[in-house]
Amino acid sequence: MNEVAQKTILVVDDEPVNITVMSGILRNDYRVLIAKNGYQALERISNSGLPDLILLDIMMPDMDGYELCEKLKAEPETQSIPVVFVSAMSEHIDEERGLSLGAVDYITKPISPAIVLARVHNILALQDAQRALLEQNEQLEETVAQRTKEVHLTQNVTIHALASLAETRDNETGNHIRRTQFYVKLLAEELLRQGHYLDQLNAKNIDLLFRSAPLHDIGKVGIPDKILLKPGRLTPEEFEIMKDHAPLGAQALIAAEQEVGEKESSFLRFARDIAEAHHEKWDGTGYPKGLKGEDIPLSGRIMALADVYDALISERIYKPAFPHEKAKSIILEGNGSHFDPKIVAAFISVEQGFIDTAKKYQD
């Protein structure tokens, strides 16, 4: 039995003759440790390392087998060691009690050497199989985690590549996509902390919002250069064309969803809602659909404030960069008209985070 030659069996029995008999049965195939009582058994385990299996007598002085088994199963370090009761107590109630304490088997005396060897071998083989299955599951989990990490990395690279494509056509944005990405995360986390929109906000969805936020202006790739890059304010007619970037972005992301077969939990859904709805206003005067209140997707409402704030603190051809306090006052003026009041409250709570993010990713 080479495959179990290194296994260690601890035999616990207060009768020397029983120890001699059991050791004689096992010693050709296993390393055998002996203990004459429960306290000595605990000492052996402490000094000699964890055995692979314990053969345990029940009727012993000071600490019987039942008590020792309870102690072993109560400690995380020893609770997984298989325990087999070996006893002259052959009543069903004795066996039931032993098994209920966590023992894996119960052998009655007088013992049969063949039965002892067979049961020990089977128990150890089962233990090896369970350990191998656990290791396989851990390796599988590591593989899945690594694949998930790779998918997220690919998504993030793709998102930033697409967002950068839109950014290169609007050379005034600079680090706009990075700043707004962190503004969105700050707002979503604060809304969750304050107990708002708990049916929509959780750690997973906030991560999806964070990763998809850079795509909010992806529709700008469909806006003509003469309008997108105009060195001055747009005419009303030109602004109507500029407004098309919201539905254009949503349409592109809907097509992407259909192409890759993404489910409703996809980050593309958040990206689609953000792209289409980040210019909607709480009072219904926004575009492209004129949605009002909570009919506007939450992701769009969050991005609306993040986008406006960043536009206010950024320099444009037609305006200087406003300081934080000026931008804050304009946000507050739009409370309940342009912006969701709960999101404005969240903004006030995390405004230092906005200041720090703007400084860290300044143009």
Side-chain angles (χ1 to χ4, degrees):
M1 299 177 67
N2 294 330
E3 73 276 9
V4 291
Q6 300 303 313
K7 300 290 187 180
T8 298
I9 311 296
L10 174 60
V11 178
V12 187
D13 199 306
D14 64 326
E15 294 290 340
V17 65
N18 292 337
I19 289 178
T20 299
V21 171
M22 193 65 76
S23 298
I25 295 171
L26 298 169
R27 64 188 176 191
N28 289 335
D29 300 309
Y30 307 98
R31 173 173 174 252
V32 181
L33 300 177
I34 61 173
K36 296 179 180 180
N37 56 59
Y39 293 107
Q40 194 176 82
L42 293 174
E43 184 180 347
R44 288 278 190 277
I45 292 172
S46 177
N47 295 335
S48 302
L50 300 179
D52 296 289
L53 186 145
I54 298 174
L55 296 174
L56 179 57
D57 186 29
I58 293 177
M59 294 183 293
M60 297 183 296
D62 299 324
M63 182 191 301
D64 66 18
Y66 292 139
E67 185 179 354
L68 176 58
C69 186
E70 286 182 307
K71 287 183 179 295
L72 293 170
K73 296 304 176 183
E75 296 296 328
E77 186 178 11
T78 56
Q79 64 184 195
S80 62
I81 301 173
V83 174
V84 177
F85 281 115
V86 183
S87 176
M89 299 170 62
S90 58
E91 296 295 328
H92 287 304
I93 191 171
D94 301 316
E95 186 174 349
E96 289 172 4
R97 182 181 178 188
L99 295 175
S100 70
L101 293 174
V104 297
D105 205 348
Y106 194 103
I107 300 174
T108 57
K109 298 176 181 178
I111 60 173
S112 163
I115 289 176
V116 170
L117 286 173
R119 292 192 180 181
V120 167
H121 173 75
N122 290 341
I123 291 168
L124 291 174
L126 177 60
Q127 186 184 43
D128 286 342
Q130 290 173 332
R131 186 179 293 114
L133 181 60
L134 179 61
E135 292 175 355
Q136 185 179 39
N137 286 340
E138 289 175 349
Q139 291 175 357
L140 180 60
E141 288 176 1
E142 289 178 6
T143 299
V144 170
Q146 181 61 32
R147 295 280 175 83
T148 301
K149 182 179 179 180
E150 291 172 358
V151 168
H152 283 179
L153 178 60
T154 301
Q155 289 177 343
N156 291 339
V157 170
T158 302
I159 288 168
H160 281 279
L162 289 171
S164 296
L165 176 63
E167 185 179 318
T168 57
R169 299 202 59 241
D170 185 359
N171 54 23
E172 292 181 331
T173 58
N175 279 325
H176 170 71
I177 60 172
R178 177 60 72 182
R179 292 192 297 268
T180 53
Q181 185 179 31
F182 281 95
Y183 298 154
V184 164
K185 184 178 181 181
L186 285 167
L187 291 172
E189 289 178 340
E190 181 61 17
L191 287 168
L192 180 62
R193 191 192 69 78
Q194 293 182 7
H196 299 311
Y197 306 121
L198 299 182
D199 59 327
Q200 300 177 67
L201 293 176
N202 52 50
K204 178 182 178 181
N205 284 351
I206 290 174
D207 178 63
L208 291 171
L209 283 170
F210 176 77
R211 292 194 293 117
S212 60
L215 294 175
H216 66 281
D217 275 338
I218 189 64
K220 284 185 176 180
V221 298
I223 303 303
D225 285 350
K226 65 180 181 180
I227 293 175
L228 189 65
L229 304 179
K230 182 179 179 179
R233 288 187 176 276
L234 300 177
T235 67
E237 294 77 15
E238 290 169 335
F239 184 62
E240 287 300 313
I241 296 174
M242 175 64 85
K243 284 160 52 173
D244 286 340
H245 81 276
L248 285 173
Q251 290 165 16
L253 291 164
I254 290 171
E257 281 186 283
Q258 295 172 344
E259 182 69 22
V260 299
E262 289 281 355
K263 297 181 179 179
E264 276 300 299
S265 61
S266 162
F267 78 96
L268 287 173
R269 172 170 58 88
F270 289 92
R272 178 193 72 207
D273 288 344
I274 287 174
E276 185 170 40
H278 69 287
H279 288 294
E280 300 286 1
K281 295 183 179 181
W282 185 253
D283 63 5
T285 61
Y287 68 86
K289 294 183 177 180
L291 300 177
K292 185 176 182 180
E294 293 189 10
D295 287 340
I296 306 168
L298 178 61
S299 55
R301 304 200 307 269
I302 293 173
M303 177 54 76
L305 191 148
D307 194 38
V308 169
Y309 175 84
D310 200 66
L312 292 170
I313 66 166
S314 300
E315 183 180 356
R316 295 289 184 263
I317 292 175
Y318 53 85
K319 63 170 277 296
F322 293 154
H324 169 78
E325 289 301 323
K326 174 67 173 177
K328 175 183 174 181
S329 68
I330 294 174
I331 296 291
L332 290 176
E333 288 174 9
N335 187 13
S337 56
H338 192 153
F339 308 112
D340 179 342
K342 292 176 181 176
I343 297 176
V344 173
F347 164 70
I348 297 302
S349 296
V350 297
E351 63 175 304
Q352 187 59 50
F354 271 60
I355 294 170
D356 295 342
T357 297
K359 182 178 181 180
K360 182 176 181 179
Y361 298 106
Q362 59 185 323
D363 293 331

